[in-house]
Amino acid sequence: MLKKRLTGIAVALAVTVGGSLTLAAPAQAATPAIQITKAYYNSPGTDDRSNSSLNAEYVKLTNRKTTTVNLKSWTLRDKSSHIYKFTSDFKLAAGASVTIHTGKGTNTSTHRYWGSGAYIWNNTGDTAYVRDPAGKTIDSCSWGSSGSYTNC
């Protein structure tokens, strides 16, 4: 009788303070608003620093939100702190992608150019980071020394 009464009190207490004795499942990581979806870190052919070779090295960013994101003041960087910054308004529509090439070119709504005369992404392994205007890392993508590109 005492055991039954204590069990009833425990259940009543649980309902009063929390409603249940079950444990919550761990939260799933949310998909980042802006995601690195591809890094082509080893451009095809000889690394001769020609503009076409430099531009064959790139990182693709994709907007995973259902609304447009203004990338003004967002950055893309590597482990060595080479930094590409969206310096003016750049609105990336929901589901759209933009490719940031290492070399020189004319910026468009789908292709941006770092303007570098040297390779940014290390063929032997590196990490790309995308950060919001506050400097918070929103997404990253790493690779090792095999292959030429990775889908993140």
Side-chain angles (χ1 to χ4, degrees):
M1 175 89 165
L2 181 60
K3 185 177 182 181
K4 190 175 183 182
R5 188 170 181 180
L6 288 175
T7 301
I9 292 170
V11 169
L13 182 60
V15 169
T16 302
V17 297
S20 174
L21 292 174
T22 59
L23 297 175
Q28 296 297 316
T31 300
I34 301 299
Q35 187 174 31
I36 300 167
T37 51
K38 186 171 189 175
Y40 208 117
Y41 52 86
N42 186 5
S43 61
T46 305
D47 287 347
D48 60 8
R49 286 194 177 190
S50 67
N51 197 51
S52 61
S53 179
L54 290 166
N55 282 333
E57 181 183 85
Y58 62 83
V59 170
K60 182 187 269 188
L61 304 178
T62 302
N63 179 355
R64 296 296 190 196
K65 290 185 73 167
T66 57
T67 57
T68 298
V69 175
N70 188 348
L71 296 180
K72 182 179 181 179
S73 297
W74 286 59
T75 60
L76 174 66
R77 61 184 66 213
D78 70 345
K79 280 184 176 180
S80 300
S81 294
H82 295 105
I83 300 170
Y84 174 85
K85 185 174 185 177
F86 290 89
T87 57
S88 59
D89 283 343
F90 183 83
K91 295 179 180 168
L92 191 59
S97 296
V98 60
T99 302
I100 296 96
H101 300 273
T102 296
K104 297 176 178 115
T106 303
N107 290 332
T108 68
S109 62
T110 56
H111 295 273
R112 308 300 281 184
Y113 295 87
W114 205 301
S116 178
Y119 297 97
I120 301 293
W121 310 106
N122 296 329
N123 298 351
T124 56
D126 208 340
T127 302
Y129 304 91
V130 63
R131 294 185 181 170
D132 68 12
K136 179 182 176 192
T137 298
I138 300 302
D139 194 27
S140 64
C141 177
S142 298
W143 56 89
S145 60
S146 63
S148 295
Y149 67 91
T150 188
N151 292 308
C152 308

